């Protein structure tokens, strides 16, 4: 079994010396094993005890890494059976030189969309940002908040968080953040996005011009570098009482 685990996590001996919490490094290593096909759809994951012994971390660390992979849709838990590679996991069969960047532009049906920057700041990361980007409590992050409007009506709030390691000053963003990161040789190559339904509360309800409790849609997108490091965490909150929106996605070859 140790040989199989070593083949599944070939870079763990090196990765353990990298930056970020242990659970985050283990999560990335397991994710790479899934995307590369070392772990295939339907494969059962090794027991937490065996993984913990192989990578020499606590079972709590292993469980936390697995919890995040379940949340991201890479793994699924089946009561009484174990943890399996999810059927919705996307395999990256192309070599690294064929990596693709996914960028999205959102427009509302019937009219064009205006994007306005309403806030820029640099401060310590919040707990969710720390866990998502693999940062320590004494790190610094840049936050940029956009308000998207259509025909003069606010439709979405977009909050972007990037480690100051990659973007030291929010004022340097004069075009798209994607282009700014690419110019600094920090271009993401892939992203994972999750979508949630929720009721909009203040202060977002006031900003969007809707009543507190109005139905909304929240997306959380995490963009990754080719190394597997999470570089950008974007949360977008959309009001749900407009006529609808269309997402235009562009794949850019690296």
């Amino acid at each position: 079994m140790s040989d199989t685990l070593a083949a599944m996590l070939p870079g763990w001996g090196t990765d353990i010396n990298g930056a970020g919490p242990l659970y985050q490094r283990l999560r990335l290593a397991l994710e790479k094993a899934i995307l590369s096909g070392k772990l295939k759809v339907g494969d059962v994951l090794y027991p937490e005890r065996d993984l913990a012994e192989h990578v020499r971390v606590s079972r709590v660390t292993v469980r936390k890494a697995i919890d995040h992979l379940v949340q991201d849709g890479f793994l699924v838990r089946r009561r009484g059976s174990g943890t399996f590679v999810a059927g919705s996991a996307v395999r990256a069969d192309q070599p690294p030189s064929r990596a693709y960047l996914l960028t999205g532009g959102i427009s509302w049906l019937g009219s064009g969309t205006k994007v306005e920057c309403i806030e820029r700041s640099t401060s310590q990361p919040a707990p969710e940002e720390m866990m998502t980007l693999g940062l320590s409590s004494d790190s610094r992050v840049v936050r940029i908040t956009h308000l998207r409007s259509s025909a003069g009506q606010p439709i979405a709030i977009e909050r972007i968080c990037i480690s100051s390691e990659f973007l030291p000053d929010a004022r340097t963003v004069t075009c798209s953040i994607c282009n700014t990161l690419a110019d600094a040789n920090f271009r993401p190559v892939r992203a994972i996005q999750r979508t949630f339904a929720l009721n909009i509360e203040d202060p977002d309800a006031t900003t969007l011009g809707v009543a507190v409790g109005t139905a909304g849609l929240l997306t959380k997108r995490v963009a990754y570098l080719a190394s597997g490091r999470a570089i950008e965490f974007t949360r977008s909150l959309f009001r749900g009482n407009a006529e609808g929106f269309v997402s235009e996605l562009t794949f850019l070859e690296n």
Side-chain angles (χ1 to χ4, degrees):
M1 181 178 293
S2 60
D3 291 340
T4 305
L5 284 172
M8 185 179 73
L9 303 172
W12 178 251
T14 303
D15 293 344
I16 198 171
N17 296 316
L22 277 173
Y23 83 87
Q24 177 75 353
R25 282 176 265 165
L26 179 57
R27 185 192 71 78
L28 289 173
L30 289 170
E31 182 181 320
K32 288 179 183 178
I34 295 170
L35 293 174
S36 66
K38 291 184 174 67
L39 279 172
K40 297 177 174 59
V41 173
D43 282 355
V44 63
L45 194 67
Y46 287 98
E48 292 178 1
R49 179 184 64 255
D50 294 335
L51 281 171
E53 290 178 357
H54 176 72
V55 299
R56 298 180 182 179
V57 299
S58 70
R59 291 183 65 177
V60 172
T61 297
V62 171
R63 187 173 300 113
K64 193 170 183 180
I66 293 174
D67 286 343
H68 279 260
L69 288 168
V70 171
Q71 292 173 11
D72 288 339
F74 285 96
L75 298 175
V76 59
R77 287 192 174 100
R78 296 173 184 167
R79 187 180 299 275
S81 300
T83 303
F84 297 79
V85 177
S88 59
V90 179
R91 284 190 53 183
D93 291 325
Q94 66 271 21
S97 61
R98 296 286 295 172
Y100 288 84
L101 169 64
L102 171 62
T103 62
I106 299 174
S107 59
W108 286 77
L109 296 176
S111 59
T113 301
K114 177 184 176 182
V115 181
E116 176 189 2
C117 181
I118 60 175
E119 184 180 357
R120 300 172 190 251
S121 65
T122 303
S123 60
Q124 291 180 308
E128 185 180 21
E129 295 166 342
M130 287 173 55
M131 290 189 293
T132 302
L133 297 177
L135 303 175
S136 60
S137 59
D138 58 354
S139 299
R140 306 282 286 179
V141 295
V142 165
R143 297 189 187 89
I144 299 175
T145 303
H146 291 155
L147 179 64
R148 293 180 179 267
S149 303
S150 178
Q153 180 185 62
I155 54 175
I157 302 171
E158 182 180 66
R159 295 182 172 92
I160 304 164
C161 177
I162 300 173
S163 169
S164 59
E165 174 186 349
F166 304 110
L167 184 64
D169 189 345
R171 292 172 296 181
T172 62
V173 180
T174 58
C175 52
S176 73
I177 292 179
C178 179
N179 289 339
T180 301
L181 291 173
D183 290 343
N185 294 319
F186 294 125
R187 187 170 67 175
V189 298
R190 66 183 183 87
I192 294 174
Q193 180 168 290
R194 292 181 288 159
T195 304
F196 309 85
L198 82 171
N199 295 322
I200 304 174
E201 304 294 339
D202 268 338
D204 292 335
T206 298
T207 301
L208 292 175
V210 299
V212 172
T214 296
L217 188 69
L218 175 67
T219 66
K220 294 184 178 183
R221 184 182 72 242
V222 185
Y224 297 88
L225 297 172
S227 64
R229 176 82 181 273
I231 184 175
E232 176 194 336
F233 180 34
T234 298
R235 288 154 289 186
S236 300
L237 176 62
F238 302 90
R239 55 188 292 170
N241 60 346
E243 57 181 295
F245 63 88
V246 176
S247 296
E248 181 180 352
L249 306 177
T250 304
F251 295 83
L252 303 178
E253 187 172 351
N254 190 11

